[in-house]
Amino acid sequence: MDRRLMMSCVFIAGVCLVTPGRGRSVEEVFVAAAQAAEDTEGAMCMRPDGVDAAGPAEAGPYTSDTVGRRLSGAGHAPQAIAIPKSSNVEGGDLPPVRMVVDPYPSFNGVVVDTTNDLVMMSDTNRKSLLVYDRTAGSPTSKEAAAPRQVIMGPDTGVGFVAGVAMDPAHRELFTVNNDVEDRLVVFDYDARGNVKPKRLLYVPHQSWGIAFAPKRDAIALSVQTPNMFVVFKRDAQKFDAPLRSVRGPLTQMADPHGIYFDETHNEVVVANHGNFRPRELITSYTAYDARESRQERSGDKVDENARGKFLPSSVTVFDGDAKGDVAPLRVIQGPLSQIDWPMGVAVDEVNNEIIVANNGDNSILIFPRTASGDVPPKRVIRGPLTGVKGPMGVAIAKDEIYIANFGDHTALVFPRLAAGNVRPRRVIRNAPAGRETSGFGNPYSVAYDTKRQEILVPN
């Protein structure tokens, strides 16, 4: 890392430690941190599209010799991972003995555009966006479905992406980078291949979900460790400040992920993992500089009580105009609810139901929209026939429920009233059937267990 980049990262870390209540609003501190990041723009570490170290992957839509054609004429030919052939006597670059690489995408967020009959999903593994026909997939096909378009490459700014949104009125595609890049990128509907975004917006570190509110012309983003969500203008860019934020102990948010803006009922629905860490505005580390926060550390002692706590997972529902430290209108939480590490969340605004991608037990939970307290779901989709495995994203459209699996190379489509251990109506594969996924999400380090001769990868 060059000195200019290092100094920028240090300054960002310092700004991120500023806490509320000292004369600066949440929005002001966020903008200050984003402006400090300007010097680092473009300094992203992007994994080039490539092949397994053992050789090209088998035939499929994402092998090294076919992905270029799948980019629909974008003119960006992918390259294999650069592995040096030799090293000098002083050390230098050394080739790995072997590599563990998943050459196929891993679905994360999902969104449906019923106006143009499209469905888009984010991919955290290959760092891409994939757009399919809304009715793509088959209940029996073992082959990967061909996307209409793929947005992928170092110029795109697409990295560890999570939430996605589509705006058919302005013909724009949105995705948010959850880690490292700390930015939301926007593309035209017809974007393909390695293209620069139409615009970008700096967002708080650990932004995860996107909720698009077309009537308000606004987007809401969930942010994990600060336990908050922020609302921006749809066309916000670069260092524009949020219109408002919702954060504080009264909100009962804890590590929020999925978020949905229900404009019919003027409510914002948020899915919470339950990891609560108090008093931090923006997490006190960057990709280059992990540390405990100043609230936790005093001299050489660490205040364990300031480290937060684990709470039961939940779904919190807020007034659509909520701002600041306000209590939710309703909270679904408790053993009867079966909520366990909820990821994506969606609202069926017509049929008054909340749909939750329940990652903790590989299920889909459906609640009445007005449910509150420790209440059981109205319906549950769960079981080996369902194919639900590590569900991340969920969407509802045209009386169908769309599920993005992270646990394998599939997305699933169920009838709206599906319940129990039932097969999906359609399966959208991004790899041939039977292809295992590495399960890598965002690994930062590895350890070797000498006794068991196993490599441990924290995800």
Side-chain angles (χ1 to χ4, degrees):
M1 184 186 303
D2 63 37
R3 182 177 178 82
R4 179 168 164 265
L5 180 57
M6 183 180 297
M7 291 303 295
S8 298
C9 293
V10 171
F11 182 66
I12 293 169
V15 173
C16 291
L17 288 169
V18 177
T19 57
R22 298 183 182 178
R24 286 179 129 184
S25 68
V26 169
E27 293 77 13
E28 288 171 335
V29 173
F30 164 62
V31 170
Q35 288 173 333
E38 185 173 24
D39 284 345
T40 68
E41 183 180 345
M44 293 179 293
C45 298
M46 303 292 290
R47 177 186 179 280
D49 188 42
V51 296
D52 196 309
E58 293 179 8
Y62 292 95
T63 60
S64 63
D65 58 346
T66 61
V67 69
R69 296 194 296 274
R70 296 291 184 185
L71 292 180
S72 304
H76 172 65
Q79 298 178 352
I81 298 172
I83 302 176
K85 295 181 179 179
S86 63
S87 60
N88 60 43
V89 294
E90 296 178 353
D93 292 326
L94 298 173
V97 174
R98 60 187 181 278
M99 296 174 61
V100 179
V101 178
D102 187 347
Y104 297 98
S106 293
F107 288 146
N108 192 319
V110 60
V111 62
V112 181
D113 168 11
T114 56
T115 302
N116 298 286
D117 272 343
L118 300 173
V119 58
M120 180 172 74
M121 283 175 274
S122 57
D123 155 35
T124 58
N125 184 44
R126 309 296 292 181
K127 306 185 188 308
S128 70
L129 296 176
L130 302 100
V131 180
Y132 298 85
D133 291 321
R134 184 183 61 80
T135 57
S138 162
T140 57
S141 175
K142 301 300 183 182
E143 299 302 318
R148 289 171 58 104
Q149 64 200 82
V150 179
I151 300 172
M152 180 173 65
D155 288 342
T156 65
V158 174
F160 187 69
V161 285
V164 287
M166 303 177 78
D167 178 5
H170 298 92
R171 295 184 60 79
E172 292 183 335
L173 310 174
F174 301 77
T175 190
V176 65
N177 288 286
N178 172 252
D179 211 349
V180 182
E181 291 89 0
D182 296 342
R183 65 194 68 185
L184 178 146
V185 287
V186 184
F187 300 92
D188 285 318
Y189 252 49
D190 299 322
R192 284 172 168 79
N194 184 28
V195 295
K196 290 185 178 181
K198 179 179 180 179
R199 64 178 180 276
L200 63 85
L201 170 69
Y202 289 103
V203 297
H205 185 58
Q206 290 190 331
S207 294
W208 198 91
I210 302 178
F212 178 47
K215 295 177 183 176
R216 293 171 177 254
D217 204 32
I219 53 175
L221 306 178
S222 60
V223 192
Q224 292 178 251
T225 302
N227 308 310
M228 71 177 180
F229 70 82
V230 291
V231 180
F232 289 91
K233 293 190 299 182
R234 174 194 57 81
D235 57 355
Q237 57 185 313
K238 291 297 287 270
F239 305 119
D240 288 349
L243 299 172
R244 55 193 169 91
S245 59
V246 176
R247 177 183 179 268
L250 292 180
T251 69
Q252 300 183 51
M253 282 187 286
D255 195 4
H257 280 71
I259 184 170
Y260 186 93
F261 210 125
D262 177 358
E263 290 194 285
T264 300
H265 305 96
N266 192 35
E267 293 179 341
V268 176
V269 181
V270 180
N272 303 277
H273 278 188
N275 308 310
F276 183 77
R277 187 166 179 164
R279 296 201 300 271
E280 288 191 88
L281 173 59
I282 299 173
T283 48
S284 58
Y285 58 89
T286 71
Y288 312 101
D289 187 15
R291 66 182 68 186
E292 288 122 351
S293 71
R294 288 178 182 170
Q295 291 90 351
E296 292 174 356
R297 182 168 288 282
S298 176
D300 293 327
K301 295 182 179 180
V302 174
D303 180 1
E304 296 292 343
N305 294 324
R307 286 182 176 270
K309 54 190 174 182
F310 294 110
L311 301 172
S313 299
S314 69
V315 171
T316 46
V317 183
F318 298 88
D319 184 274
D321 298 303
K323 181 178 181 180
D325 186 11
V326 296
L329 300 175
R330 301 183 298 280
V331 178
I332 307 174
Q333 185 181 50
L336 292 179
S337 74
Q338 304 177 43
I339 298 174
D340 184 2
W341 269 55
M343 302 300 290
V345 65
V347 177
D348 184 340
E349 300 178 34
V350 175
N351 297 289
N352 287 307
E353 292 181 333
I354 295 175
I355 303 125
V356 179
N358 210 38
N359 190 276
D361 72 349
N362 300 315
S363 69
I364 307 302
L365 310 178
I366 298 96
F367 295 90
R369 184 185 62 81
T370 56
S372 183
D374 185 11
V375 295
K378 186 177 179 179
R379 298 188 303 281
V380 178
I381 302 173
R382 181 194 291 120
L385 294 180
T386 68
V388 177
K389 188 174 182 180
M392 298 289 280
V394 62
I396 177 78
K398 296 283 189 178
D399 276 339
E400 291 184 323
I401 297 174
Y402 292 74
I403 306 299
N405 277 335
F406 188 76
D408 63 14
H409 289 291
T410 66
L412 313 172
V413 184
F414 292 91
R416 181 182 70 83
L417 294 175
N421 185 22
V422 295
R423 297 184 186 276
R425 176 178 286 174
R426 297 189 301 281
V427 179
I428 305 171
R429 299 185 183 278
N430 60 33
R435 280 284 179 160
E436 295 292 334
T437 177
S438 66
F440 290 154
N442 198 15
Y444 262 61
S445 60
V446 296
Y448 181 61
D449 183 338
T450 56
K451 181 178 180 180
R452 297 175 179 84
Q453 295 189 333
E454 294 177 340
I455 298 174
L456 308 178
V457 184
N459 222 11

